[in-house]
């Protein structure tokens, strides 16, 4: 739709689902829901639209929400005015005879009609009083009809009680001020009678600028082929068929054969042919007293169609949002960024080294002390050597890993969202990600290294066993040496046995202790890895996941409000499941 069409207040969209209509003789708007039901559904939809606009102001451009705000303002203004009156405008091109038709319906010469073009410069109204205490002045003030142009019906027709009939300026007037008045009033009236003539019924300006844009309001519109007396009888039906074809091509639903939509009829204001039928159709529209609600409902339909792209994308199903899989992947990547798996493996190796020092053979412990002294001679700081022996390693945060984790999470969470809301989700993720690496580093320094588990009691028993085996080994060695130098003491087999037992038992005991230490060491490594994972997950949740989840929750709320506003019945029809 062009910007020119969209600028016509209230006339936008191409809906073919107008509410109401019915067979001739049945009040229009009462073929389905009652007026109360229509009014209740409209109030629900307007409430949802109002909440939708409020929730979206900080996420969408003001120009996107401008039309929704205008419809809400118009609905509030119309709600303050009496529903006992229905405003119906007669719109047409220069020379179509709309003023003559206006006078014929009013039963008096109320609007100037003649050969001078344009004749109608200001809107003229004719009011059929609705009853005592029901003043039309508020509606006429809202429409901007000057006091000098307000008329009362000379012929009291009970079927038209509560009607305010307007004769508009020509929509194709050479005066821009006239066209502006037409556009303004077409956005305010409850229903429209479009008057065409045999010469201009296919006029491109009428069909492209007005009727196509007015397609969503077909249920509160009538199209009258005036001056039908200028055509041969057989040509009238041909012109009407062609007019119906043109309307159908523009998406205007026709309300004939029991279908809801616009009525198309022929007549002549000069001869009076068809004026009675037109008066009857207008009377049915007025008697139902639902034209204002259906007009506003059509306005809401048009707003919903134009807002659909910013609230619903890729079909009716709600996007996945922030799934459990996406959360787990994000936490895993943050854990890798802070080195949690490597820290867990280092803690496991450090625990095994402590076990080796406590349960290893004296020879192995002596070699370790010798290696430490050599490191000192090379100039290696003692603290660094001690740290290596403990298994502690300095932890650093990988900035690229953090960025990759945030990018993957943001893309996953924004998948399937309309672009404005996808951008809001990504912005929320990156706002928190900007300081996340620094926060992780501060947390790692603040938490310090993992707390060592208490020394197992069996380490002391193993150390005592190593001391006994070393004593046995030394005793056997000394005994065997005494035997070899000629000092026989109870034979040679016993010192050899002691020597072998001490030499083999020590390594075997150390090997057994190492096997026994693997389980506790692995548990200690997992505990350290889990500690760092939890630390990274807490910061990631606070700075990234929570803002993203808040944006997704806001989108879910606005999507639910949009679905209610877009539903003709004011109920949720689309799926709103999702995280």
């Amino acid at each position: 739709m062009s910007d020119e069409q969209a600028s016509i207040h209230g006339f936008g969209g191409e809906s073919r689902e107008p509410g109401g209509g019915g067979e001739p003789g049945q009040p229009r708007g009462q073929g389905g829901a009652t007026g109360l039901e229509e009014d209740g559904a409209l109030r629900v939809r307007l409430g949802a639209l109002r909440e939708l606009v409020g929730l979206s102001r900080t996420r969408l451009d003001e120009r996107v929400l401008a039309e929704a705000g205008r419809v809400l303002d118009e609905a509030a203004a119309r709600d303050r005015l009496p529903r006992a009156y229905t405003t119906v405008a007669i719109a047409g091109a220069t020379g179509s005879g709309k003023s003559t038709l206006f006078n014929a319906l009013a039963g008096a010469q109320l609007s100037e009609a003649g050969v001078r073009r344009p004749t109608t410069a200001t809107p003229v109204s004719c009011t059929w009083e609705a009853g005592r205490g029901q003043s039309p002045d508020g509606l006429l003030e809202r429409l901007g009809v000057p006091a000098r142009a307000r008329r009362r019906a000379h012929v009291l027709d009970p079927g038209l009680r509560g009607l305010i009939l307007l004769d508009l300026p020509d929509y194709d007037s050479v005066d821009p001020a006239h066209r502006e008045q037409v556009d303004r009033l077409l956005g305010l009236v409850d229903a429209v009678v479009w008057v065409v003539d045999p010469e201009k019924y296919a006029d491109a300006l009428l069909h492209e600028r007005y009727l196509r844009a007015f397609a969503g309001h077909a249920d509160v519109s009538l199209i009258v082929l005036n001056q039908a007396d200028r055509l041969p009888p057989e040509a009238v039906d041909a012109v009407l068929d062609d007019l119906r074809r043109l309307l159908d091509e523009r998406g205007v639903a026709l309300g004939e054969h029991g279908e809801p939509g616009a009525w198309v009829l022929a007549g002549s204001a000069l001869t009076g042919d068809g004026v009675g039928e037109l008066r009857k159709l207008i009377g049915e529209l007025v008697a139902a007293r639902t034209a204002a609600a259906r007009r506003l409902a059509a306005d809401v339909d048009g707003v919903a169609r134009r807002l659909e792209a910013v609230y619903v994308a890729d079909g009716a199903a709600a996007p996945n949002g922030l799934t459990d899989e996406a959360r787990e992947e994000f936490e895993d990547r943050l854990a890798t960024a802070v080195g949690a798996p490597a820290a867990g493996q280092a803690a496991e190796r450090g625990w095994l080294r402590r076990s080796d020092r406590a349960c290893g053979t004296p020879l192995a412990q002596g070699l370790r002390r010798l290696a430490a002294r050599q490191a000192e001679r090379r100039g290696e700081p003692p603290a660094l050597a001690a740290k290596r022996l403990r298994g502690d390693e300095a932890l650093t945060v990988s900035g690229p890993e953090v960025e990759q984790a945030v990018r993957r999470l943001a893309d996953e969470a924004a998948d399937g969202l309309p672009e404005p809301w996808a951008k809001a989700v990504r912005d929320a993720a990156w706002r928190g990600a900007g300081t996340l690496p620094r926060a992780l580093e501060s947390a790692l320094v603040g938490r310090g290294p993992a707390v060592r588990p208490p020394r197992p009691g069996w380490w002391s028993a193993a150390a005592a066993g190593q001391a006994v085996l070393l004593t046995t080994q030394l005793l056997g060695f000394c005994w065997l040496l005494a035997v070899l130098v000629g000092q026989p003491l109870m034979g040679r087999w016993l010192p050899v046995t002691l020597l072998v037992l001490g030499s083999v038992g020590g390594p075997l005991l150390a090997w057994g202790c190492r096997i026994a230490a693997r389980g506790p060491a692995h548990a200690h490594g997992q505990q350290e890895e889990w500690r760092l994972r939890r630390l990274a997950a807490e910061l990631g949740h606070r700075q990234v996941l929570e803002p993203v989840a808040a944006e997704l929750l806001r989108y879910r709320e606005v999507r639910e409000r949009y679905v209610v506003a877009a539903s003709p019945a004011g109920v949720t029809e689309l799926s709103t499941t999702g995280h």
Side-chain angles (χ1 to χ4, degrees):
M1 185 181 298
S2 68
D3 294 339
E4 185 181 44
Q5 294 166 351
S7 68
I8 304 173
H9 296 316
F11 291 73
E14 302 177 4
S15 170
R16 298 183 61 89
E17 299 178 8
E23 297 289 352
Q26 179 185 9
R28 297 182 62 167
Q30 294 187 5
T34 66
L36 290 176
E37 289 171 344
E38 285 185 352
D39 204 44
L42 177 61
R43 290 185 183 278
V44 171
R45 297 180 68 190
L46 289 171
L49 184 62
R50 188 173 295 105
E51 293 178 13
L52 180 69
V53 171
L55 289 169
S56 305
R57 287 195 187 280
T58 59
R59 302 298 185 272
L60 301 180
D61 192 288
E62 290 184 0
R63 291 171 294 181
V64 176
L65 301 172
E67 186 180 2
R70 184 197 61 78
V71 170
L72 290 171
D73 292 341
E74 297 295 349
R78 186 64 178 90
D79 192 53
R80 290 191 293 268
L81 298 171
R83 291 291 183 90
Y85 286 97
T86 301
T87 57
V88 179
I90 298 181
T94 302
S96 62
K98 59 180 180 57
S99 295
T100 304
L101 183 60
F102 174 85
N103 293 331
L105 291 170
Q109 190 74 16
L110 302 182
S111 182
E112 183 181 357
V115 295
R116 184 173 59 86
R117 304 289 183 257
T119 301
T120 306
T122 60
V124 178
S125 70
C126 180
T127 302
W128 282 259
E129 296 288 348
R132 293 182 179 179
Q134 300 286 348
S135 173
D137 292 342
L139 274 169
L140 293 172
E141 290 292 337
R142 176 172 179 259
L143 294 171
V145 180
R148 57 183 171 79
R150 300 177 187 179
R151 311 285 189 268
R152 293 191 179 186
H154 288 204
V155 179
L156 298 179
D157 187 346
L160 298 181
R161 288 172 59 89
L163 170 64
I164 298 178
L165 190 65
L166 295 176
D167 182 19
L168 303 186
D170 303 330
Y171 62 72
D172 61 347
S173 172
V174 295
D175 190 339
H178 294 183
R179 298 195 300 270
E180 291 175 1
Q181 282 197 70
V182 172
D183 292 347
R184 180 183 64 82
L185 288 167
L186 287 177
L188 297 176
V189 295
D190 301 328
V192 181
V193 176
W194 297 96
V195 181
V196 299
D197 61 73
E199 294 180 358
K200 295 183 179 180
Y201 75 90
D203 181 53
L205 175 64
L206 169 66
H207 287 274
E208 295 301 326
R209 177 177 170 84
Y210 290 102
L211 291 181
R212 181 190 291 274
F214 193 69
H217 301 74
D219 192 40
V220 287
S221 63
L222 300 164
I223 295 95
V224 178
L225 176 64
N226 194 23
Q227 304 173 2
D229 56 309
R230 295 167 51 189
L231 296 172
E234 64 275 8
V236 174
D237 290 337
V239 172
L240 285 176
D241 289 341
D242 194 41
L243 176 58
R244 292 187 183 98
R245 178 188 60 81
L246 292 171
L247 293 171
D248 185 67
E249 290 177 356
R250 270 67 179 182
V252 180
L254 301 180
E256 299 173 342
H257 310 296
E259 296 295 328
W263 285 98
V264 179
L265 65 155
S268 172
L270 286 177
T271 65
D273 291 341
V275 175
E277 183 182 359
L278 177 60
R279 182 181 286 110
K280 179 181 179 182
L281 291 174
I282 294 176
E284 293 172 357
L285 190 67
V286 172
R289 293 191 176 181
T290 59
R294 284 186 284 141
R295 165 58 199 266
L296 288 172
D299 287 344
V300 175
D301 289 339
V303 169
R305 282 191 298 274
R306 283 181 284 281
L307 290 179
E308 182 176 6
V310 298
Y311 290 112
V312 180
D314 300 328
N320 292 328
L322 201 56
T323 62
D324 292 338
E325 292 78 7
R327 293 173 182 267
E328 291 175 2
E329 181 182 359
F330 176 68
E331 293 176 357
D332 288 342
R333 287 182 176 273
L334 281 188
T336 302
V338 300
Q345 294 173 3
E348 182 176 352
R349 290 194 300 269
W351 209 92
L352 288 173
R353 279 193 286 268
R354 290 182 60 207
S355 176
D356 288 343
R357 291 198 302 271
C359 306
T361 62
L363 177 61
Q365 297 182 26
L367 292 175
R368 290 192 188 92
R369 286 192 290 270
L370 178 61
R373 285 196 293 270
Q374 289 177 348
E376 290 180 7
R377 284 197 294 270
R378 290 195 302 268
E380 184 176 313
L384 179 61
K387 181 185 296 184
R388 187 173 61 251
L389 288 174
R390 291 196 307 267
D392 297 336
E393 296 182 5
L395 295 174
T396 58
V397 177
S398 173
E401 279 286 347
V402 173
E403 291 182 3
Q404 181 67 9
V406 174
R407 182 177 295 107
R408 289 289 297 271
L409 176 78
D411 291 343
E412 180 78 14
D415 184 43
L417 292 177
E419 182 51 36
W421 299 96
K423 181 180 182 299
V425 167
R426 295 190 188 99
D427 290 346
W430 286 111
R431 279 195 300 271
T435 58
L436 184 56
R438 191 180 307 112
L440 289 171
E441 290 176 355
S442 300
L444 291 176
V445 172
R447 293 290 182 91
V451 178
R452 292 185 180 182
R455 178 186 175 94
W458 60 271
W459 282 9
S460 300
Q466 288 288 4
V468 170
L469 290 172
L470 176 62
T471 302
T472 302
Q473 184 180 5
L474 292 176
L475 178 60
F477 176 77
C478 294
W479 194 339
L480 182 59
L481 185 62
V483 172
L484 292 177
V485 297
Q487 300 292 334
L489 297 172
M490 299 177 62
R492 297 183 178 183
W493 64 268
L494 185 57
V496 172
T497 301
L498 293 176
L499 180 59
V500 171
L501 180 62
S503 301
V504 176
L508 284 176
L509 179 59
W511 176 79
C513 290
R514 187 173 184 82
I515 296 298
R518 287 180 180 176
H522 182 67
H524 175 57
Q526 285 187 321
Q527 183 179 7
E528 174 63 6
E529 180 179 353
W530 176 249
R531 182 181 74 92
L532 295 177
R533 279 181 174 273
R534 186 170 61 251
L535 184 148
E538 288 175 356
L539 287 173
H541 189 274
R542 182 166 63 248
Q543 296 196 207
V544 178
L545 287 179
E546 285 184 359
V548 168
E551 286 298 329
L552 291 173
L553 179 60
R554 178 184 286 263
Y555 170 70
R556 181 176 180 178
E557 290 176 353
V558 299
R559 189 177 187 278
E560 290 175 349
R561 295 297 89 199
Y562 170 78
V563 171
V564 175
S567 169
V571 296
T572 302
E573 294 179 340
L574 299 179
S575 170
T576 55
T577 59
H579 296 275

